[in-house]
Each structure stands twice: as C-alpha cells, then as structure tokens.
C-alpha cells in the first residue's frame, strides 16, 4: 500500500486518483489517516488535481482539531491503494526486528530498486492509458452559397465541381438550388469540417478556382458542432 512520494507530481497523481470516489483516506469522517497523509504533502496540490486539492483544503480546515480526530495515526505506507508500492520507508520500521537478526546482510537496497521499478512501470501504464484516450476533435457545420455567372451556367456541373473537392476532415452534405432573381439560381451546399484541417479560406480558394462556373462563394452559416 501507499501513495509513493507525496512531494512529487507522481505521488500527488496517485493521491488524486485514490480520492476520485472518496471524501477521506479512510471511512466517512476525517480521521488520523487524513492527518498522516496531509502532513506528508508539502502544500496544496495543483488545481488540475481537483480531488486531491478538494481533500487538502477540507482537511486543512481541521488543523486546530487534528489531534482530536478519531483513529490511530499509522505510518504513511499503511494508507492508499493496495496496488501501489510503499516507497516511504515506513516498512523499514516494521521489519526492524528481523533486520537485527539478519545473518546474511540487508536486502534494503535491492527492495528499494524493485519498488522504484514497479512504481515506474505503473506510472508508464497510467501514462499509456491516458495517451490512448481519444482526443476531442473540434468540428464545424458550414452552409455555403455558391453563385454562378448567369442563368445559363450548368448548375449540375457546378455542383459536381464543388463536390469534387476532397480533403481530410471535409464531408459534403445536402444541397439545393435557391433562386436569386432574373432566372439565376445559386447552389446552397452543406459541409462538415474538422477545424484543425479545413478552413473557409481553403474552401473559397478551391471553389472559386472553377472560374468557368463560379462567380463567388459566401459563407451563409457557420456553427460549431
């Protein structure tokens, strides 16, 4: 058990994850368990560790009463998730009697290296799991007005030219012809774009490149999805 070194970002991250569904280190009221862990933290956790920061501020409000909180304060390594190796050295006191009669020397150094290796493996697994979470892709829905030169422009061919524009992050949608006067109709066409990949400037440049059919392009509506 344990949180690792609570003076490091890695240790605070373990504490934050542990408190994600808990109000206190043990049980349902503040206790000496909270005091032991609180004293091991060097200061308020950063704001992005919201669970740890919420707990820290709450326990800090009991500062004048901490001696009277229930429970018996144990070594730091006795608290926290069972899956995390105790690297605080608290286990050394529990093993002191055995060390006194150790006829073959101490394995403390080997155990410390093993604990460090396990902690690094778990942190690597945690970072890998975070990295695999799909990123949120910002998208927009755009309605374009594409105007022809005159009433003799082949609007079917004009639309075919517009839809021929292909790009990663661009999906064409529905379309219709809208009268603008004097027998002229404009093409109104919908598309969905990924904001980081496709912009209106790029669309305008490529659409107006079909200059035999297209007089101009305007953005009629632009909505974030």
């Amino acid at each position: 058990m344990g949180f690792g070194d609570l003076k490091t970002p890695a240790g605070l991250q373990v504490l934050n994850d542990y408190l994600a569904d808990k109000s206190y280190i043990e049980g349902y009221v503040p206790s000496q368990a909270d005091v032991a862990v609180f004293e091991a933290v060097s200061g308020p956790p950063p704001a992005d560790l919201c669970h740890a920061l919420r707990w820290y501020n709450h326990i800090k409000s009991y500062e004048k009463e901490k001696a009277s909180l229930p429970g018996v304060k144990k070594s730091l390594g006795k608290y926290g998730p069972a899956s995390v190796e105790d690297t605080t050295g608290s286990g050394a006191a529990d093993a002191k009697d055995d060390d006194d009669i150790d006829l073959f020397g101490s394995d403390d150094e080997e155990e410390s290296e093993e604990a460090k290796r396990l902690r690094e493996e778990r942190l690597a697994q945690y970072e890998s799991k975070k990295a695999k979470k799909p990123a949120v892709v910002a998208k927009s829905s755009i309605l374009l007005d594409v105007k022809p030169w005159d009433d003799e422009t082949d609007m079917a061919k004009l639309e075919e030219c517009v839809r021929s524009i292909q790009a990663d992050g661009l999906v064409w949608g529905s379309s219709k012809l809208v009268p603008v006067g004097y027998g002229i109709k404009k093409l109104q066409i919908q598309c969905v774009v990924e904001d980081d990949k496709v912009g209106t400037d790029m669309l305008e440049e490529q659409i107006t490149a079909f200059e035999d059919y297209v007089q101009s392009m305007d953005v009629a509506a632009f909505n974030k999805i």
Side-chain angles (χ1 to χ4, degrees):
M1 296 179 70
F3 295 103
D5 186 351
L6 285 171
K7 291 179 172 58
T8 67
L12 290 175
Q13 182 67 63
V14 174
L15 176 64
N16 186 70
D17 293 345
Y18 180 76
L19 291 168
D21 58 354
K22 299 176 181 65
S23 296
Y24 303 101
I25 300 300
E26 286 184 347
Y28 301 98
V29 296
S31 69
Q32 292 301 317
D34 296 285
V35 174
V37 177
F38 180 87
E39 290 176 346
V41 178
S42 59
D48 60 321
L49 302 180
C50 56
H51 305 299
L53 181 59
R54 176 256 307 158
W55 167 85
Y56 180 91
N57 289 333
H58 183 54
I59 300 305
K60 187 177 181 180
S61 68
Y62 288 92
E63 195 158 8
K64 294 181 180 179
E65 309 163 46
K66 63 182 182 182
S68 62
L69 293 178
V72 177
K73 189 191 296 185
K74 294 179 284 189
S75 59
L76 186 62
K78 299 297 183 182
Y79 306 111
S83 60
V84 176
E85 189 78 16
D86 173 20
T87 60
T88 61
S90 58
D94 296 339
K96 186 176 185 306
D97 292 341
D98 292 339
D99 290 344
D100 289 344
I101 57 171
D102 185 358
L103 301 178
F104 301 99
S106 173
D107 291 333
D108 284 352
E109 185 175 343
E110 291 181 11
E111 289 173 359
S112 177
E113 288 298 317
E114 178 69 9
K116 181 180 178 182
R117 184 184 66 79
L118 287 171
R119 184 174 70 254
E120 288 175 349
E121 281 183 4
R122 290 191 177 104
L123 286 172
Q125 290 171 1
Y126 174 79
E127 291 298 331
S128 175
K129 186 177 179 181
K130 278 205 322 185
K132 289 177 182 177
K133 288 186 177 179
V136 177
V137 178
K139 295 183 179 181
S140 299
S141 173
I142 306 175
L143 184 64
L144 302 175
D145 281 349
V146 184
K147 296 175 184 175
W149 287 106
D150 52 38
D151 60 344
E152 295 182 0
T153 300
D154 185 341
M155 296 303 291
K157 185 64 178 177
L158 184 150
E159 181 174 351
E160 182 184 333
C161 291
V162 171
R163 289 186 181 275
S164 71
I165 299 170
Q166 301 293 321
D168 185 24
L170 169 64
V171 178
W172 293 108
S174 60
S175 64
K176 64 181 179 180
L177 297 178
V178 180
V180 293
Y182 303 102
I184 301 174
K185 295 180 179 180
K186 65 181 178 181
L187 172 68
Q188 199 166 73
I189 186 166
Q190 189 94 21
C191 66
V192 174
V193 302
E194 293 183 21
D195 296 347
D196 290 341
K197 298 178 180 178
V198 180
T200 55
D201 289 344
M202 184 205 86
L203 290 172
E204 182 175 15
E205 180 182 345
Q206 295 198 29
I207 289 173
T208 54
F210 299 109
E211 54 189 19
D212 290 343
Y213 301 97
V214 178
Q215 180 194 75
S216 64
M217 187 215 85
D218 296 311
V219 176
F222 189 107
N223 297 295
K224 294 288 186 181
I225 299 177

